[in-house]
Amino acid sequence: MPELPEVEVIRRGLKNEILNKRISEVKVLSKNTVKPNSRTFAKELKGKSFLDIDRIGKLLIFELSDKIDFLLVHLKMTGQLIYTDQKEMIAGGHETKPRSSGRLEDVLIEEDLIERVGGRLPNKFTRVIITFNKRGSLYFNDMRKFGYMRIVDERELKKIKSAFGMEPRTKEFTKEGFIKAIKTRNKSIKAVLLDQSIIAGLGNIYTDESLFLSKVDPRRKASSLTDKEISALYKNIEHIIGKAIEYKGTTFSDYSDAKGNKGNFSELLQVYGRTGEKCKICGTKIEKIREAGRGTHFCPKCQF
DNA sequence: AAGATTGTTGCTTA
DNA sequence: TTAAGCAACAATCT
């Protein structure tokens, strides 16, 4: 369930840790997770380093030091990217006891990581391990195996990027452009906001939250929204995405940042996951329906 | 024990 | 072309 804010927090965290470090080892524990195949994947990464990490929508883009290829990572629903340079974590499989050095500092760091990640790494959901300079490792965990890692060249990257719509909090995300994008669609506003080719980065949580803040019923046809409503929606999307990044994302079940930390935005959620609870504005019970094929939370009194 | 679940793609139908 | 609905991907929880 990572959406734009969660992926952005991961991107920033990772940038501080792994740039310009030589990749010494690549372990693929689940072959369908990487494309095109395990052998090519490992070969393309080994010996290189990451020069930069970029993002479009929910897709992470790692620039490789050969200046030709890029590593794309999509976390889909349950993917996690966690970096640690704890030797114990790397050395010990989940059946092995941690081999702590015994130094107080190391023990504390290790216990802290276990606390945050919920266990030692790798765990049974670890699909890929990328190790740098024989020390720190980047773990790609993904319970449901929907996520992927993929190497592409510049041409493919360009093509993939072109399929994304405008992205909140960038200069292309203008009020005028947004109004036009909404007004010209006949499907529901919920479906439009979730459509990555129209607006990039919103998922189920921030879509429901933005619509609540804007007092718009998620079932409304996008084209039926007034300029005033769309303007409010525009402002609220910008606001909520910014706020969520500030709070390090929303942790519902699987999300954690690059260091395994949980996000703190959950406490600010107004409707998502609050089915049957009281609306914080009017006290009416929050309802959950199905719209655009997704569980959709809203206040039947505040949103119309 | 059937049904629901965060994201995305692709297929079918209208 | 556009939109809606659904299955699939896999694992877990209720």
Side-chain angles (χ1 to χ4, degrees), chain A residues 167-185:
Chain A
E167 177 159 329
R169 304 181 82 258
T170 64
K171 49 183 178 303
E172 56 173 7
F173 192 64
T174 62
K175 193 154 114 179
E176 294 66 34
F178 184 70
I179 290 176
K180 194 177 168 199
I182 300 298
K183 284 202 134 167
T184 54
R185 312 289 158 156

Side-chain angles (χ1 to χ4, degrees), chain A residues 218-281:
Chain A
R219 297 166 291 193
R220 290 259 303 277
K221 280 229 182 290
S223 53
S224 78
L225 269 65
T226 63
D227 281 23
K228 209 173 163 186
E229 286 171 324
I230 304 174
S231 297
L233 192 52
Y234 174 81
K235 208 180 66 197
N236 287 322
I237 289 171
E238 292 277 73
H239 173 255
I240 203 158
I241 294 290
K243 209 67 182 169
I245 294 172
E246 200 181 301
Y247 276 71
K248 309 285 184 202
T250 303
T251 294
F252 219 69
S253 52
D254 301 285
Y255 169 77
S256 70
D257 73 7
K259 288 183 170 177
N261 296 305
K262 304 290 186 196
N264 301 309
F265 194 75
S266 315
E267 59 208 62
L268 298 195
L269 294 177
Q270 305 291 305
V271 288
Y272 189 89
R274 297 192 66 246
T275 313
E277 293 176 40
K278 286 182 175 173
C279 169
K280 295 184 179 181
I281 304 289

Side-chain angles (χ1 to χ4, degrees), chain A residues 22-202:
Chain A
R22 185 175 178 277
I23 297 169
S24 52
E25 196 182 355
V26 178
K27 274 190 192 159
V28 177
L29 300 130
S30 164
K31 66 182 170 68
N32 291 329
T33 297
V34 303
K35 294 167 196 178
N37 61 66
S38 310
R39 202 165 353 101
T40 313
F41 180 83
K43 206 176 70 188
E44 291 283 1
L45 290 179
K46 252 185 185 171
K48 295 172 190 167
S49 60
F50 298 124
L51 296 184
D52 199 7
I53 308 175
D54 198 3
R55 178 188 56 72
I56 181 163
K58 304 166 193 170
L59 185 68
L60 283 165
I61 305 166
F62 296 71
E63 185 189 347
L64 285 171
S65 54
D66 62 8
K67 305 231 178 188
I68 297 170
D69 294 319
F70 299 83
L71 168 67
L72 305 185
V73 182
H74 203 300
L75 303 170
K76 292 287 178 83
M77 304 226 244
T78 56
Q80 305 176 322
L81 275 178
I82 298 174
Y83 176 85
T84 173
D85 58 5
Q86 273 300 286
K87 275 183 248 163
E88 293 85 355
M89 297 298 158
I90 299 155
H94 49 282
E95 284 113 23
T96 322
K97 284 260 182 280
R99 291 185 286 119
S100 171
S101 63
R103 280 175 54 217
L104 182 59
E105 189 192 345
D106 286 350
V107 172
L108 286 178
I109 290 169
E110 184 184 315
E111 283 175 356
D112 181 43
L113 187 73
I114 288 172
E115 168 86 26
R116 288 175 305 162
V117 180
R120 239 174 300 123
L121 289 172
N123 61 34
K124 64 174 172 170
F125 301 126
T126 301
R127 311 302 181 189
V128 181
I129 308 171
I130 297 173
T131 303
F132 303 92
N133 291 332
K134 303 186 177 181
R135 209 174 130 62
S137 289
L138 180 61
Y139 294 85
F140 180 45
N141 302 331
D142 185 18
M143 183 177 77
R144 288 173 73 178
K145 290 188 175 179
F146 289 1
Y148 62 82
M149 289 184 141
R150 176 180 176 196
I151 313 264
V152 298
D153 62 23
E154 194 147 20
R155 251 188 51 247
E156 290 171 284
L157 178 63
K158 228 175 216 159
K159 212 174 106 188
I160 290 164
K161 276 185 166 178
S162 70
F164 284 89
M166 59 177 112
E167 177 159 329
R169 304 181 82 258
T170 64
K171 49 183 178 303
E172 56 173 7
F173 192 64
T174 62
K175 193 154 114 179
E176 294 66 34
F178 184 70
I179 290 176
K180 194 177 168 199
I182 300 298
K183 284 202 134 167
T184 54
R185 312 289 158 156
N186 287 312
K187 50 183 175 179
S188 74
I189 184 62
K190 167 101 181 189
V192 171
L193 295 182
L194 284 175
D195 189 332
Q196 303 298 301
S197 71
I198 303 174
I199 315 290
L202 292 180

